[in-house]
Amino acid sequence: LIMPTINASKYGILGNSSVNSFSQCRNSSNANDFTSNQPTSSNAISVRMRYVSGGKGSEWQLYRAFFAFDVTSYQTGYTISNLRLRLDPTATSSSNFPIAIVKSTAQGNADTNLSSSDFGDVDFSTLYGGSSTTYWPDTNNISDITLNSTAISAFSTGYLKLAVMWYNDYNNQQPLLVQTMNGYQNFSYVPRLEFTATATGYSNNVIGVDGGDIDNIIGVDAADIDNVSG
């Protein structure tokens, strides 16, 4: 049993806005405000919802943060548990800002920078974490956000790619109140995954040898262990 840490190999932010509708802002395939890759700011806006309305009309704005992890080292041979996203928010963040973490299809094999055309590369049907009461941390402390069993299942592909967004962005509910909510992040601390990995070798110990090391016993395959000594 080990407790690895894997840093995001690609990470960034996409921002999009619309003066026509929330739907146009949310469902656009392109980010028309900005694209940021591997930001270094100690106080960057990673996730945002903004709705303004007045005499000059209305505007909706959404930011999504994208993090991509190469987990090929744990793709097979391990049972993964206690999976969490670890990041460093800042106290500038809005309080009670609900977030969702969904599957991303951007950033290639965790080796490709974001482009503006990746704003829509999210799978709203695949939730990796978050809820209406899971809030972006409004603290200067390094914080963990729990990821679910669906995120764990992505390890079998060798890559875990996710997007963090306002919960109602995920839930497709337009804002009713004029407001701005921001999740700020210190990117001098690279976002990372932490988890428990348990080797999936032979389930019992043989004269003190851990199950994960059973193949090292005089070259006998784990599948043939019943044939040892009778």
Side-chain angles (χ1 to χ4, degrees), residues 135-150:
Y135 303 129
W136 182 270
D138 56 344
T139 173
N140 285 326
N141 298 320
I142 293 170
S143 302
D144 291 339
I145 302 172
T146 299
L147 302 180
N148 61 24
S149 59
T150 306

Side-chain angles (χ1 to χ4, degrees), residues 59-212:
E59 182 181 32
W60 296 261
Q61 187 177 49
L62 296 169
Y63 288 13
R64 298 168 180 167
F66 291 77
F67 306 140
F69 302 90
D70 182 342
V71 295
T72 51
S73 296
Y74 299 93
Q75 184 174 0
T76 60
Y78 294 91
T79 297
I80 306 301
S81 60
N82 303 317
L83 178 62
R84 56 203 180 275
L85 172 66
R86 175 163 282 195
L87 46 79
D88 188 9
T90 79
T92 313
S93 301
S94 302
S95 299
N96 301 323
F97 181 21
I99 58 168
I101 302 173
V102 305
K103 177 182 178 180
S104 163
T105 56
Q107 298 171 298
N109 290 334
D111 60 357
T112 304
N113 280 338
L114 291 169
S115 66
S116 61
S117 60
D118 289 323
F119 186 77
D121 288 347
V122 292
D123 181 355
F124 289 115
S125 67
T126 306
L127 184 68
Y128 283 163
S131 71
S132 61
T133 56
T134 301
Y135 303 129
W136 182 270
D138 56 344
T139 173
N140 285 326
N141 298 320
I142 293 170
S143 302
D144 291 339
I145 302 172
T146 299
L147 302 180
N148 61 24
S149 59
T150 306
I152 289 173
S153 69
F155 271 62
S156 65
T157 70
Y159 304 97
L160 178 59
K161 302 185 297 179
L162 51 86
V164 187
M165 62 187 64
W166 177 45
Y167 185 76
N168 283 350
D169 182 358
Y170 156 72
N171 212 28
N172 196 19
Q173 293 184 0
Q174 69 178 22
L176 300 177
L177 301 176
V178 171
Q179 61 181 320
T180 299
M181 301 187 78
N182 294 317
Y184 282 85
Q185 186 170 351
N186 172 17
F187 279 99
S188 64
Y189 181 90
V190 176
R192 61 203 66 188
L193 296 177
E194 292 196 344
F195 53 93
T196 302
T198 306
T200 56
Y202 185 62
S203 59
N204 297 305
N205 287 343
V206 178
I207 54 173
V209 179
D210 289 338

Side-chain angles (χ1 to χ4, degrees), residues 38-52:
Q38 288 72 250
T40 58
S41 171
S42 62
N43 200 34
I45 300 174
S46 283
V47 185
R48 162 179 265 201
M49 70 77 56
R50 181 172 183 262
Y51 172 46
V52 295

